[in-house]
Amino acid sequence: KRFRSKLKKNGYNPDEILKARVKPGMAWIPWFALAHGYDGYLRWAYNSWTADPMNDTRFRRWTSGDCYCMYPEGRSSIRFEKLVEGIQDYEKALILRQLLIESGDEQGLDEFEKMLSGFTYETITSEGAEEALSAARRYMSAFIATVE
């Protein structure tokens, strides 16, 4: 299930996630997907460049650079790099969840799910992405430290 269309169906505006402190918001998206059981993210525009994207990323009333994640000739963007960061977190979190399940660590699994509960639409639109991202990364770092 793709969460962008699911959010719209439930009356939410997925673009608000990106406007909520855009840079961390992109890293937050994969965590949100994990927390809600989604298997992907449909980005409305990957390369819908403006007339001169290397010098002016504004388009009408949208946030500067919102029309694309990549610049011409394969140049990356902060948005794209933050999304990659979030996808890497997502993959690490999947491995962690599997380790907790396989070890039968019910308490650890409960703590993991509690950590994921910070990834809600209401949270990002009211508090931004930073708090939930920081808490999740602290949780994963602490877990890794116990394994090493």
Side-chain angles (χ1 to χ4, degrees):
K1 12 179 212 186
R2 303 281 188 241
F3 79 85
R4 185 178 178 84
S5 56
K6 189 90 163 179
L7 282 174
K8 280 188 170 187
K9 189 190 304 185
N10 291 321
Y12 297 125
N13 179 358
D15 297 318
E16 289 301 315
I17 292 170
L18 302 178
K19 291 176 187 170
R21 302 178 187 115
V22 172
K23 294 172 199 151
M26 293 298 285
W28 183 90
I29 289 170
W31 282 101
F32 181 85
L34 179 64
H36 297 276
Y38 300 129
D39 63 3
Y41 164 62
L42 176 61
R43 172 79 175 136
W44 78 270
Y46 178 79
N47 64 348
S48 183
W49 297 312
T50 55
D52 187 10
M54 300 308 295
N55 294 309
D56 188 358
T57 60
R58 294 172 297 169
F59 183 73
R60 297 186 185 158
R61 299 170 85 187
W62 295 339
T63 306
S64 182
D66 190 41
C67 296
Y68 42 90
C69 285
M70 297 295 285
Y71 287 87
E73 299 177 18
R75 292 181 181 101
S76 192
S77 69
I78 293 171
R79 277 186 171 84
F80 186 73
E81 294 302 321
K82 287 297 179 180
L83 181 59
V84 168
E85 185 181 301
I87 291 168
Q88 291 169 340
D89 287 345
Y90 176 98
E91 293 297 327
K92 291 173 191 174
L94 284 179
I95 293 167
L96 173 55
R97 179 188 269 162
Q98 191 59 40
L99 287 171
L100 291 168
I101 290 169
E102 288 173 2
S103 70
D105 185 350
E106 293 296 323
Q107 180 181 351
L109 197 54
D110 287 345
E111 290 171 5
F112 180 84
E113 297 302 329
K114 182 179 178 188
M115 174 269 298
L116 287 179
S117 70
F119 293 92
T120 65
Y121 181 81
E122 292 75 20
T123 300
I124 192 148
T125 54
S126 66
E127 299 172 13
E130 295 92 343
E131 189 172 324
L133 282 170
S134 293
R137 289 174 178 155
R138 278 192 311 272
Y139 172 83
M140 292 208 336
S141 292
F143 181 84
I144 291 167
T146 65
V147 175
E148 293 178 342

